[in-house]
């Protein structure tokens, strides 16, 4: 495994033992550092020695060289974790796992991608295009491998890092060759406290570009175009991306339906062209792209019906993109609401025939939706199974020639599920059961 020689025999604390914390621990152990690791909510991982798993209150703070903080723990919040306060008090360098990765000095060209919505699709599509054209490429960060587990493909290879606002908020040593932001809308305000803080974290990706690095800017994004100008960023190159009408083959792929995917795909195509891949080869790769699980994922398609798993849509902006992609929608929504409720989804309720609410906040969502479309039929189903079966039944009884059953919750999943993947997998299981029983035709 990669090692970082500067940590040899140094004492390093690791706060958090999730995927990134474990990856940080492994690279530091490989570097022969003396680690102390703890997580308030997890048990000791098997590979960690008992003497390394120690409550942060008992760490030798005066002797620590650095504190590595997992991305789910806010570094810059007003109310800081006690371990972060101890690090500040003892003047200890605070970094995250992304910083450790860059301290390992990877030789590959590095592309950073962030955004409120669409970043995973953009990363996955770009990776698919590059791999299809036999370019050595690895993805990591918030998607794929934790950064410290990436195997550097070397100077002729490419590393694509998906970067969350949490990772960007804590990173100090990010150095990128190419970067983009798919969009910035209100999200994760419980972590960042204000939209300005959240926006600042996202924009850090631009300041992390090397001199003469390149930023790919969606020409149709008003907020980003007001901020990202040549006047404001003189040391980088800015490439403005327009949704080229020649890219109409994008929506021919069932996994890339909708205007939002035109935007995501335009970014991936523009980066691929910048890396000297010709448009014909890009088009061929896109035609074979299978999309991401739980993100506008087609589960069943016939002449009359489409069933779409969009469990990853945990906010109104993302659900708005899903609603805008279809007509005659039987919409399954609800869960643990975000601060903006259904947000921009309110603008596309005319596309919805009926709503089927799940989760513990059905009354909240009922009021939210009714505010913007009073005559819309809303069914309080509580469970995903009830909602799916009722949506299928009512859709089949309609006189519509074609319709869409869409799970796009516009809410987090934690009221009923471990995460959005768990929710999406449950939906798949229900749909498959209905298919096996002949209920879907």
């Amino acid at each position: 495994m990669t090692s970082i020689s500067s940590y040899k025999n140094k004492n390093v604390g690791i706060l958090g033992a999730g995927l990134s914390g474990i990856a940080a621990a492994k690279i530091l152990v490989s570097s022969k550092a003396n680690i102390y690791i703890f997580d308030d909510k997890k048990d000791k991982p098997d590979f960690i020695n008992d003497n390394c798993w120690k409550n942060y209150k008992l760490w030798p703070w005066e002797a620590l060289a650095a504190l590595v903080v997992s991305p789910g723990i806010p570094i810059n919040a007003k109310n800081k974790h006690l371990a972060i306060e101890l690090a500040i008090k003892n003047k200890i360098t605070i970094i995250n796992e992304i910083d450790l990765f860059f301290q390992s000095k990877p030789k590959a060209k590095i592309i950073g991608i962030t955004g409120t919505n669409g970043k995973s699709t953009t990363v996955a599509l770009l990776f698919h295009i590059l791999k299809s054209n036999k370019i050595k490429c690895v993805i990591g960060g918030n998607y794929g491998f934790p950064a410290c587990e990436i195997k550097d493909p070397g100077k002729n290879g490419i590393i694509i890092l998906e970067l969350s606002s949490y990772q960007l908020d804590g990173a100090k040593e990010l150095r990128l060759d190419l970067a983009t932001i798919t969009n910035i809308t209100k999200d994760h305000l419980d972590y960042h406290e204000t939209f300005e803080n959240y926006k600042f974290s996202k924009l850090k990706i631009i300041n992390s570009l090397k001199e003469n690095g390149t930023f790919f800017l969606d020409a149709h994004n008003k907020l980003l175009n007001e901020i990202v100008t040549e006047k404001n960023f003189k040391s980088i190159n800015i490439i403005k991306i327009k949704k080229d009408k020649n890219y109409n083959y994008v929506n021919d792929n069932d996994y890339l339906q909708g205007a939002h995917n035109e935007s995501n795909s335009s970014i991936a195509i523009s980066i691929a062209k910048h890396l000297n891949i010709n448009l014909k080869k890009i088009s061929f790769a896109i035609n074979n792209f299978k999309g991401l699980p739980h993100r506008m994922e087609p589960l069943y398609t016939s002449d009359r019906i489409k069933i779409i798993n969009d469990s990853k849509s945990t906010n109104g902006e993302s659900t708005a993109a899903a609603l805008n992609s279809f007509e005659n929608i039987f919409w399954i929504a609800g869960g643990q609401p975000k601060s903006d409720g259904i947000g921009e989804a309110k603008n596309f309720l005319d596309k919805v025939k009926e709503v089927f609410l799940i989760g513990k906040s059905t009354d909240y969502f009922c009021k939210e939706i009714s505010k913007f479309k009073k005559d819309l039929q809303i069914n309080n189903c509580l469970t995903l199974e009830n909602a799916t079966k009722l949506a299928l039944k009512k859709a089949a009884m309609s006189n519509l020639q074609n319709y869409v059953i869409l799970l796009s919750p516009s809410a987090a999943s934690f009221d009923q599920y471990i995460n959005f993947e768990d929710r999406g997998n449950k939906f798949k299981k229900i749909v498959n059961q209905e298919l096996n029983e002949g209920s879907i035709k």
Side-chain angles (χ1 to χ4, degrees):
M1 188 175 183
T2 305
S3 64
I4 308 168
S5 59
S6 60
Y7 285 108
K8 186 175 180 180
N9 297 324
K10 298 282 182 65
N11 297 315
V12 182
I14 302 169
L15 185 62
L19 291 175
S20 66
I22 295 302
K26 287 178 178 177
I27 198 170
L28 286 166
V29 168
S30 176
S31 304
K32 298 184 179 177
N34 304 313
I35 68 166
Y36 298 90
I37 179 170
F38 193 72
D39 192 308
D40 298 287
K41 298 177 181 179
K42 291 184 182 292
D43 295 328
K44 181 183 79 67
D46 291 340
F47 81 97
I48 298 292
N49 294 331
D50 289 343
N51 58 335
C52 296
W53 185 262
K54 189 176 290 187
N55 190 294
Y56 47 83
K57 295 175 184 177
L58 304 175
W59 292 353
W61 285 99
E62 68 287 348
L64 290 186
L67 173 66
V68 183
V69 180
S70 292
I73 303 168
I75 289 176
N76 298 311
K78 289 179 183 176
N79 297 319
K80 293 179 172 59
H81 192 286
L82 177 58
I84 294 172
E85 290 184 345
L86 287 168
I88 293 170
K89 180 181 177 181
N90 288 276
K91 297 182 180 179
I92 291 160
T93 302
I94 301 172
I95 59 174
N96 65 14
E97 184 243 350
I98 299 293
D99 291 321
L100 275 180
F101 165 71
F102 278 91
Q103 288 174 4
S104 71
K105 298 180 180 177
K107 294 181 172 59
K109 182 173 286 188
I110 300 178
I111 302 170
I113 296 177
T114 194
T116 307
N117 299 305
K119 56 185 178 293
S120 294
T121 297
T122 306
V123 166
L125 181 57
L126 178 59
F127 175 73
H128 176 74
I129 294 169
L130 299 185
K131 292 292 284 185
S132 297
N133 286 279
K134 297 185 171 25
I135 294 174
K136 290 181 181 178
C137 186
V138 185
I139 52 175
N142 193 52
Y143 172 62
F145 295 103
C148 285
E149 290 185 5
I150 290 173
K151 292 183 179 178
D152 182 9
K155 64 179 181 179
N156 295 321
I158 291 173
I159 295 169
I160 307 172
L161 286 180
E162 179 183 307
L163 295 163
S164 71
S165 60
Y166 301 174
Q167 291 167 321
L168 287 164
D169 187 52
K172 295 179 176 64
E173 303 201 22
L174 198 61
R175 296 292 179 270
L176 304 169
D177 297 283
L178 311 174
T180 191
I181 302 173
T182 57
N183 47 58
I184 302 177
T185 57
K186 288 183 180 179
D187 203 6
H188 300 304
L189 300 191
D190 54 338
Y191 180 103
H192 293 283
E193 297 172 342
T194 68
F195 179 55
E196 284 303 310
N197 290 344
Y198 174 69
K199 184 168 65 174
F200 178 78
S201 293
K202 289 294 188 186
L203 292 170
K204 277 182 71 176
I205 201 170
I206 308 175
N207 293 316
S208 299
L209 280 163
K210 298 174 183 175
E211 189 169 357
N212 292 320
T214 301
F215 183 77
F216 295 83
L217 172 63
D218 182 352
H220 304 278
N221 189 297
K222 184 179 177 182
L223 173 64
L224 288 173
N225 276 268
E226 288 174 354
I227 298 168
V228 187
T229 65
E230 291 179 358
K231 181 180 178 181
N232 292 340
F233 297 94
K234 295 177 181 178
S235 65
I236 63 170
N237 303 306
I238 299 171
I239 294 179
K240 283 201 173 187
I241 306 164
K242 295 183 178 179
K243 294 175 188 173
D244 195 314
K245 62 183 178 181
N246 294 323
Y247 298 169
N248 58 8
Y249 53 80
V250 167
N251 283 163
D252 290 342
N253 184 323
D254 282 345
Y255 292 91
L256 293 171
Q257 296 287 304
H260 63 298
N261 275 324
E262 287 180 15
S263 178
N264 298 334
S265 301
S266 293
I267 291 170
I269 291 167
S270 184
I271 294 173
K273 285 172 66 179
H274 184 77
L275 296 170
N276 299 316
I277 302 174
N278 71 52
L279 200 52
K280 187 175 180 180
K281 290 182 177 180
I282 293 171
S283 173
F284 181 79
I286 289 175
N287 186 53
N288 294 296
F289 179 62
K290 295 301 181 187
L292 291 173
H294 316 297
R295 188 71 185 98
M296 293 283 282
E297 178 187 12
L299 300 185
Y300 178 78
T301 303
S302 70
D303 291 340
R304 191 181 183 203
I305 179 174
K306 285 184 178 179
I307 303 177
I308 307 295
N309 170 25
D310 193 39
S311 180
K312 196 173 191 292
S313 281
T314 60
N315 57 47
E317 185 82 15
S318 188
T319 289
L323 294 179
N324 191 32
S325 301
F326 303 108
E327 303 288 340
N328 299 330
I329 300 167
F330 291 78
W331 177 29
I332 302 170
Q336 185 173 305
K338 296 286 183 75
S339 60
D340 65 338
I342 64 168
E344 292 301 306
K346 69 179 184 286
N347 297 319
F348 302 100
L349 295 177
D350 286 342
K351 291 172 171 281
V352 178
K353 292 298 179 183
E354 284 195 43
V355 183
F356 304 83
L357 293 178
I358 63 172
K360 295 181 178 177
S361 299
T362 49
D363 289 346
Y364 170 84
F365 279 97
C366 186
K367 289 175 184 176
E368 273 282 295
I369 293 166
S370 297
K371 272 195 303 188
F372 304 108
K373 200 167 192 300
K374 292 181 181 179
D375 59 343
L376 188 57
Q377 176 69 43
I378 300 173
N379 302 278
N380 190 337
C381 301
L382 296 178
T383 71
L384 186 53
E385 184 170 9
N386 290 343
T388 305
K389 288 182 176 181
L390 185 60
L392 285 165
K393 182 180 178 180
K394 288 205 166 190
M397 290 169 60
S398 73
N399 294 320
L400 297 167
Q401 293 301 307
N402 52 70
Y403 55 83
V404 175
I405 307 293
L406 173 67
L407 170 65
S408 188
S410 188
S413 57
F414 307 124
D415 60 330
Q416 291 182 308
Y417 298 97
I418 298 168
N419 49 36
F420 73 82
E421 291 98 337
D422 184 31
R423 178 171 60 191
N425 287 330
K426 176 66 173 175
F427 184 56
K428 288 183 184 182
K429 186 176 179 181
I430 296 164
V431 170
N432 285 334
Q433 184 178 334
E434 294 298 299
L435 280 167
N436 290 336
E437 292 177 359
S439 304
I440 302 172
K441 297 176 182 178

